[in-house]
Amino acid sequence: MDETAELAAFRAETRAWLEANCPDEMRSPGAGDDDMCWGGRKWTFKSEAQKQWLERMAAKGWTVPEWPQEYGGGGLSKDEAKILAQEMRRIRARSPLSSFGIWMLGPALLKYGNEAQKKEHLPKIARGEIRWCQGYSEPGAGSDLASLRTSAVLDGDEFVVNGSKIWTSYADKADWIFCLVRTEPDAPKHLGISFLLFDMDSPGVSTSPIKLISGYSPFCQTFFDNVRVPAENLMGTRGKGWDIAKYLLTHEREMIGDMGSPGGVSMRDVARQEIGTDADGRLNDPLLRVDVARFDVDSYAFALTMERVKDEAKAGQGTGAMSSLLKYYGTELNKRRQELLMSITGSDGLSWEGEGIRDGALAKDWLRSRANSIEGGTSEVQLNIIAKRVLQLPGA
Amino acid sequence: MDETAELAAFRAETRAWLEANCPDEMRSPGAGDDDMCWGGRKWTFKSEAQKQWLERMAAKGWTVPEWPQEYGGGGLSKDEAKILAQEMRRIRARSPLSSFGIWMLGPALLKYGNEAQKKEHLPKIARGEIRWCQGYSEPGAGSDLASLRTSAVLDGDEFVVNGSKIWTSYADKADWIFCLVRTEPDAPKHLGISFLLFDMDSPGVSTSPIKLISGYSPFCQTFFDNVRVPAENLMGTRGKGWDIAKYLLTHEREMIGDMGSPGGVSMRDVARQEIGTDADGRLNDPLLRVDVARFDVDSYAFALTMERVKDEAKAGQGTGAMSSLLKYYGTELNKRRQELLMSITGSDGLSWEGEGIRDGALAKDWLRSRANSIEGGTSEVQLNIIAKRVLQLPGA
Amino acid sequence: MALVLNDEQRMVKESADGFFAENAPVAQLRKLRDGADATGFDRGLWAKMAEMGFAGVAIPEQFGGAGLGMVAAGLIQEAIGRNLSLSPFLSSAVLSATAIGKGGSEEQKAALLPQIASGELIVALAADEKARHQPATISTRAEASGNGFRLTGGKPFVLDGHVADRLIVAARTSGAETDTAGITLFLVDPKAAGVSIARRSMVDSRNAADIGLDGVQVDGADVLGEIGGGFAILEAALDAGRACLAAELLGVSAQSFETTVDYLKQRDQFGVKIGTFQALQHRAAHLFCEIELARSVTLKALTALDEGDARAPLFVALAKAKTGDVAKLATNEAVQMHGGIGMTDEFDIGFYMKRARAAAETFGDAAFQGDRVAQLLDY
Amino acid sequence: MALVLNDEQRMVKESADGFFAENAPVAQLRKLRDGADATGFDRGLWAKMAEMGFAGVAIPEQFGGAGLGMVAAGLIQEAIGRNLSLSPFLSSAVLSATAIGKGGSEEQKAALLPQIASGELIVALAADEKARHQPATISTRAEASGNGFRLTGGKPFVLDGHVADRLIVAARTSGAETDTAGITLFLVDPKAAGVSIARRSMVDSRNAADIGLDGVQVDGADVLGEIGGGFAILEAALDAGRACLAAELLGVSAQSFETTVDYLKQRDQFGVKIGTFQALQHRAAHLFCEIELARSVTLKALTALDEGDARAPLFVALAKAKTGDVAKLATNEAVQMHGGIGMTDEFDIGFYMKRARAAAETFGDAAFQGDRVAQLLDY
């Protein structure tokens, strides 16, 4: 495929800039969560290189390459952004900034926020100055997100927020929250919801971490006790917050769905090592070999479906109906993957803590994966969505 | 287990009688449907031995050993009947008579019929003089049996029957039908149903065979055009026919559920022969070996469940809730069994007709098995029943 | 190459979808079956398929074909799957054309490929000897004799073997029964002395024949490819066939599924549409996902063959495994959700179930392909 | 023997169900885990279990036990599974008691079995050396030395190895690494010179230890059974253990299932009880069937052991395979149907999921047992 002269020039410049500006320590895949840079007021950089890399990328707007320059973005075209991503992969450059602000709030702000809100929040997200968390789920609500009860009552030019949110990732480390609240208690349940942005340092906000079956987690429960939020922090139309929520949920589904694709620990490598192979190179356990092969069939088919969906979207042929498929199948597949890894590793995998190489990591990943088909809309909800929107079955 | 002197004597007598009276040709398992004796007005015995065997057994009442003698039965106790069955198995004696009259109508008559009806019908069933068929399902009704529309309108001392039944096995060979009809068109749907018995030779009755995907089948569609049925042929209470239907459906479920147990063609034998084994005796196809082993796990567990259910019933511990389980799991297992046999036999199994040893029988069995989870209450209906009656889930 | 159809391929798809729905719907299969037709397909249809350029879709333009490659061939076979259309497309235009294109001399290609593309010549591939696919297990012997060979052995279940004008026969010139080396392909005239052909009736009403070879004399010029080097050609032909079968299975699945979803929307039971039952909704939604996965991996396999991607055999194995399982699930769910009516011969869905199983079995079922996946991925 | 409990067994069941629910509920497991208790179980509970006759349930009366057999032992372990109770029941009262009963001399039985039955002596079985169960793969060497042997090797993941008063160690006196012949069992004092013991923390909070043997000297009198004939004893012990694990898995499944059905009846979502959703109803009904099947095959396995049925190893393999799969399904469905709350450590269901997987793995998972089924049925 021939690149236009302009794009070729952009590629050359980008490559040169990255070579000059990406610190060596940032040129390797990080070892997981701990090597990610999340930014925010409370952030402590893990290294000088991490700080430098964020600052340099943010200065060019390349933490959010496609956002407009006026909001701290790089103003790149789709093609340019793709080239930047390719060139970063080429030198194995880490992402300079991980952020719910970038992944979730930013796109919603660009679509639903007013000019003042965009000007205020987007540049701080782009520079990693403010770290955001998401306030959606509530205790007892589960899949029925719209049944939320956290209330926001207008008192003068402030909303007074009372209630509680659950499953707020990193709420204890975040600076601000984007939060679904009920402003019209008497309206039908989907119509009384609004979308509020506020500072987690506001008086009346407190958080408490949640311990999962897999151990400590980034999840928190968050409590609001007469928190006063300026009225101008309402995003979008009052009572129409559910539209923004649906928009964001589609985003989230796609992110979580990504997990079933081949990647991470290679199951085949683990299997060869743990089970051993015979003279013909076949795994010594024929039953597990079958399970791995069957998993590979579905895993490749799923990864190729993600590829096809992206290609179709690029070609303008997307049906838009695939995010539930990817969420449902991807998370179920990841659970199967973790189950299979546990079977392959036997009692090694069952170790919880201790001196073993894996140090309980396998078991924790396995347990953590069980939540994939619950969070971000359960598998059952995704199947309901497919039945209704794609298949248009009656009563779905 | 010690047998009482009485039972021991019964066993000795029975053994001697069987030795003297069971013709040699009747001492081998028949080769399927063609070797069964169904009786009835239109019946042609396949051999003199078949005729003799039926007549001798019927004379003792042993076609229906536990029915009262006054109705043509043997009047045996449970223990005696068990001994008779054991002794018949010992010499591999065939069943003298296959009959929906024995399996289905008889028990219902004994429970719901009036004295005149019992006297009239039971002895003829016991002697194989009248062959019965079952008129339950209707075209378009499917699982929703109670939505039946065949009407029976009282006109003087006769009901006039109009409508149509489907899936009536051997309707074209049967002499009489036991039939669900709607006598109260304005009552709630379960309350307007009655249970009628009538002669298939009555004017206005016609039948038409149904061809299945597996080929010709015993199933027919049956049409009723102003068929006049004496009012005394109503069995049980008018409008309460649904109770009899439910009683009979439970029976049918248990009969069909039996099919998942190991038996018939041994899958292991077929697999060894078709796939071959290696030096260690393992099947040459490791993936199919896994599938056979997994099938065996479920198949044994199911067969043992049937055994346990019977043992519990004998011990008076039965819960009565198991017939749906047996129907559901047994038929699904049988489908899996047939699928697996097809996989094992490859293109041999795909042969339809011709000179091959199997002559399309495998493919036909496979196709026929697909109906198991539909007939006698679909798998979905059985799961609904379990959810409602056993688990008592709300709204089930 | 992106996993989307290009303009040319979209045109092929549109014309194939329209063509088979109009000219070879399920009703035609039913008629041929009920009439126990001796040919087993409509020669008029096959002539029309050739006119449409379908018979030569994957044959290079220099040999009279359309040169559109395997993605296009797969789209045609997907439409065949949707309509259960009968023709020698798979055996002649895919399997044999690929074998000749890969292994044939310039003379053989020039002599045979244009005739295949025009539909005049039907060539069938006689490879397998076992009821379960084991392509390297070949006992048919080819012994040197005169300026050629004498072939002795048997080939059961040869697709379209009863109507073929030419056979490609895999025979052993050396090696033990299961060696991949030592297999040689021969072009054999079915009318030659010593060839016996017995038609087989199959569950899916497809056409197959048992072919006997009793000292059949062939010329040195009838060797396709190198002596002893036939297995690589065979594998190429089989992979083309498997990928197209995957596409057919995709068509079978999609059509069965759509028919079922329509039925769920119109069938009343217990006073409501059965499509309102959540248990059925979830099963249908799951099946929708499975069919989409089958679609992706099939397109990848066909694309990889067109691109000469070294991983093509892996993608083909993945596609054949996945589509075989999905088609079985789709047709089984279709029959179950249709209830009694789905079991009757009068209703079409049974034909789809029969074809799904047969096509899933042909050239390796999910067990065979899974083993192949494991081998290709080195475990 | 019919597949129903006799009066004696029903009494055992009632007393076990009541005992563990009252004395060792999940809360106790949680407390022991959170406190990182060094023993890993409550010694007071174990003493009470001995008083109840549980520790000696399967030990013959002549050696101080109750002589009630494996069905009774299974009922106790099923109650353990329902409550996730922690104790050395499996390792000492089942595995070790069976090994000593089967292989021990009269002196050894008289010395050890009464003490096991009274709960005073905890004996652990140190057999496996691989992360995945391969009972014949033994590299630990036993070399003749003085009037006895010197043992050198390692045993990872020995159940209750850190609290055992005596170890039964499988070591190789002859043969290659995977031979079943040449394995000998030894009674080893964990305090002997050369024995090292390191506790392992496991996902299910069960107690295990890695045991090192560095030239440990044992006496000729410490040999259990014949020299080189240890494998048959080991298999008997393992089959007893597998059958009891099947019973435990059944208890885990049934308890998880009942908790979930209760939740379906009380949890509101979208304005209705979630138990009204037909998709969940069907999944629950299916799971009910699976658990009933698991119950039947488990009872058969235990019964067959008690009857000395030659097919006992087959039934044990079937039971372990079935219950392992069913328990994983039951606990996974439980977590999924509970939603977010099921994922929190605060809620008990996660403990069941962890135990289900560990118990399914112990002494052979469904893959191992399936292979064994195939071998025992000769295919």
Side-chain angles (χ1 to χ4, degrees), chain C residues 302-327:
Chain C
L302 294 161
T303 305
L305 285 171
D306 279 340
E307 290 175 338
D309 188 327
R311 294 168 308 162
L314 171 65
F315 291 122
V316 169
L318 292 164
K320 185 70 178 30
K322 185 70 190 166
T323 53
D325 281 346
V326 170

Side-chain angles (χ1 to χ4, degrees), chain A residues 45-328:
Chain A
F45 287 98
K46 308 279 159 151
S47 64
E48 185 56 27
Q50 192 185 55
K51 180 163 184 277
Q52 265 184 1
W53 179 223
L54 172 58
E55 286 171 354
R56 289 175 186 168
M57 285 290 276
K60 285 191 80 79
W62 284 3
T63 52
V64 284
E66 292 182 61
W67 289 10
Q69 286 180 323
E70 54 185 313
Y71 304 132
L76 301 191
S77 69
K78 261 197 175 14
D79 286 337
E80 287 168 338
K82 197 169 147 189
I83 286 171
L84 172 60
Q86 285 168 349
E87 291 301 319
M88 284 176 69
R89 267 203 301 279
R90 208 183 55 84
I91 61 167
R92 306 173 76 207
R94 274 183 216 171
S95 167
L97 183 58
S98 304
S99 151
F100 295 128
I102 294 177
W103 299 329
M104 309 205 69
L105 179 61
L109 258 173
L110 283 165
K111 192 173 160 79
Y112 295 96
N114 61 33
E115 194 52 34
Q117 289 166 339
K118 292 185 201 175
K119 279 259 160 55
E120 168 64 21
H121 297 298
L122 290 172
K124 291 179 184 166
I125 290 172
R127 293 193 300 263
E129 288 171 12
I130 293 294
R131 182 171 180 177
W132 288 83
C133 64
Q134 179 199 55
Y136 276 23
S137 300
E138 296 195 0
S143 292
D144 189 8
L145 214 58
S147 71
L148 61 92
R149 284 175 303 188
T150 292
S151 66
V153 177
L154 200 59
D155 176 26
D157 56 357
E158 289 179 329
F159 284 106
V160 182
V161 179
N162 278 288
S164 170
K165 294 286 172 180
I166 200 167
W167 308 121
T168 37
S169 301
Y170 300 113
D172 50 345
K173 294 177 175 140
D175 305 311
W176 277 63
I177 187 168
F178 49 98
C179 192
L180 289 175
V181 295
R182 187 163 297 283
T183 44
E184 270 69 31
D186 300 327
K189 85 179 175 181
H190 291 89
L191 296 178
I193 294 168
S194 298
F195 198 95
L196 273 191
L197 314 175
F198 56 91
D199 195 317
M200 290 289 280
D201 281 350
S202 311
V205 177
S206 60
T207 67
S208 149
I210 297 171
K211 191 178 174 190
L212 288 187
I213 58 176
S214 47
Y216 290 99
S217 78
F219 294 119
C220 296
Q221 186 165 358
T222 306
F223 305 90
F224 310 122
D225 179 17
N226 286 317
V227 179
R228 301 193 74 87
V229 176
E232 69 258 27
N233 286 15
L234 180 84
M235 190 172 116
T237 310
R238 182 169 159 169
K240 291 284 181 68
W242 186 244
D243 292 341
I244 309 179
K246 279 194 295 182
Y247 172 79
L248 279 172
L249 284 171
T250 305
H251 257 267
E252 192 183 358
R253 272 207 292 279
E254 284 164 6
M255 280 168 54
I256 296 175
D258 248 324
M259 288 184 298
S261 55
V265 188
S266 158
M267 180 143 53
R268 293 187 284 278
D269 287 347
V270 175
R272 279 188 213 103
Q273 185 185 324
E274 292 278 335
I275 303 174
T277 53
D278 67 12
D280 294 330
R282 289 182 166 82
L283 293 179
N284 279 327
D285 188 317
L287 280 94
L288 276 177
R289 181 169 177 265
V290 172
D291 285 343
V292 175
R294 286 190 176 145
F295 174 79
D296 271 340
V297 169
D298 289 335
S299 173
Y300 270 96
F302 178 72
L304 290 165
T305 301
M306 288 210 295
E307 197 179 321
R308 178 165 68 89
V309 168
K310 281 177 195 158
D311 288 348
E312 282 175 354
K314 270 185 222 152
Q317 299 173 10
T319 63
M322 301 296 273
S323 73
S324 286
L325 179 154
L326 296 178
K327 164 67 168 79
Y328 164 66

Side-chain angles (χ1 to χ4, degrees), chain C:
Chain C
M1 204 148 85
L3 286 178
V4 285
L5 302 183
N6 61 31
D7 291 343
E8 202 173 56
Q9 289 161 346
R10 267 209 304 281
M11 274 174 55
V12 171
K13 179 174 163 51
E14 273 168 39
S15 72
D17 285 352
F19 178 86
F20 290 102
E22 190 182 324
N23 294 284
V26 187
Q28 192 182 67
L29 163 65
R30 183 184 290 279
K31 205 174 122 202
L32 289 162
R33 181 200 67 171
D34 290 346
D37 185 86
T39 304
F41 63 92
D42 177 352
R43 286 201 186 260
L45 175 76
W46 181 233
K48 274 194 218 163
M49 285 172 69
E51 265 169 48
M52 294 287 292
F54 294 162
V57 64
I59 291 173
E61 287 173 279
Q62 63 187 114
F63 296 116
L68 290 170
M70 294 307 300
V71 170
L75 293 168
I76 292 167
Q77 191 124 0
E78 187 181 336
I80 287 174
R82 277 190 172 269
N83 296 285
L84 301 179
S85 313
L86 290 169
S87 82
F89 181 77
L90 180 69
S91 56
S92 198
V94 176
L95 293 164
S96 300
T98 305
I100 293 164
K102 166 106 181 164
S105 63
E106 288 308 305
E107 291 74 24
Q108 287 169 330
K109 287 194 236 179
L112 299 170
L113 292 179
Q115 288 196 69
I116 292 178
S118 71
E120 293 158 72
L121 190 80
I122 295 173
V123 185
L125 179 69
D128 273 12
E129 299 185 0
K130 294 284 181 184
R132 284 182 56 77
H133 186 53
Q134 294 176 41
T137 304
I138 296 215
S139 316
T140 294
R141 281 167 295 121
E143 285 161 339
S145 157
N147 77 333
F149 296 84
R150 281 170 70 87
L151 308 183
T152 304
K155 300 282 176 182
F157 304 107
V158 175
L159 289 180
D160 297 309
H162 66 306
V163 290
D165 304 304
R166 204 66 61 84
L167 299 168
I168 299 174
V169 172
R172 189 161 286 292
T173 40
S174 65
E177 199 202 0
T178 59
D179 289 351
T180 53
I183 294 169
T184 307
L185 303 186
F186 297 92
L187 289 160
V188 174
D189 182 343
K191 298 194 191 67
V195 178
S196 61
I197 295 178
R199 176 136 180 232
R200 277 265 198 174
S201 170
M202 305 297 284
V203 69
D204 60 348
S205 309
R206 283 298 184 286
N207 308 298
D210 290 353
I211 292 185
L213 301 157
D214 184 11
V216 177
Q217 181 72 39
V218 291
D219 212 85
D222 295 328
V223 173
L224 192 69
E226 303 281 316
I227 290 177
F231 192 70
I233 306 167
L234 199 55
E235 276 289 271
L238 288 171
D239 269 349
R242 289 168 184 144
C244 283
L245 280 166
E248 183 178 348
L249 286 160
L250 177 63
V252 166
S253 306
Q255 185 63 49
S256 308
F257 179 63
E258 289 164 22
T259 304
T260 306
V261 170
D262 285 348
Y263 189 73
L264 294 178
K265 289 177 188 171
Q266 42 146 295
R267 165 76 166 160
D268 286 302
Q269 193 112 73
F270 303 106
V272 292
K273 302 287 174 208
I274 59 172
T276 61
F277 293 126
Q278 196 197 33
L280 300 188
Q281 290 178 351
H282 279 202
R283 279 157 59 182
H286 173 76
L287 187 50
F288 167 79
C289 297
E290 292 288 5
I291 292 172
E292 288 300 316
L293 262 70
R295 183 179 302 286
S296 312
V297 67
T298 300
L299 182 55
K300 181 69 180 185
L302 294 161
T303 305
L305 285 171
D306 279 340
E307 290 175 338
D309 188 327
R311 294 168 308 162
L314 171 65
F315 291 122
V316 169
L318 292 164
K320 185 70 178 30
K322 185 70 190 166
T323 53
D325 281 346
V326 170
K328 283 194 246 174
L329 179 67
T331 52
N332 284 339
E333 285 285 61
V335 169
Q336 182 69 24
M337 292 190 191
H338 276 88
I341 189 183
M343 283 299 298
T344 61
D345 186 70
E346 204 183 330
F347 199 72
D348 286 345
I349 202 77
F351 286 85
Y352 285 87
M353 185 159 74
K354 292 168 178 177
R355 181 56 189 156
R357 171 155 276 286
E361 211 67 47
T362 304
F363 304 141
D365 63 2
F368 176 93
Q369 307 298 347
D371 185 65
R372 202 166 141 79
V373 165
Q375 280 182 46
L376 290 166
L377 290 173
D378 201 22
Y379 62 85

Side-chain angles (χ1 to χ4, degrees), chain B residues 304-377:
Chain B
L304 290 164
T305 300
M306 290 209 296
E307 195 180 321
R308 177 165 69 89
V309 167
K310 283 176 196 159
D311 288 348
E312 282 175 353
K314 272 185 222 154
Q317 299 174 11
T319 62
M322 301 297 270
S323 73
S324 286
L325 179 153
L326 297 179
K327 164 67 169 81
Y328 163 66
Y329 214 100
T331 56
E332 295 294 335
L333 203 53
N334 191 45
K335 291 198 295 181
R336 209 170 121 199
R337 176 184 149 79
Q338 299 297 340
E339 287 281 344
L340 201 41
L341 277 168
M342 289 296 285
S343 290
I344 289 168
T345 53
S347 38
D348 273 353
L350 293 169
S351 298
W352 189 241
E353 284 153 333
E355 59 298 325
I357 319 174
R358 293 200 178 78
D359 200 25
L362 261 176
K364 282 168 190 160
D365 286 350
W366 162 61
L367 288 162
R368 181 64 186 80
S369 75
R370 312 314 303 179
N372 296 160
S373 53
I374 297 170
E375 60 205 353

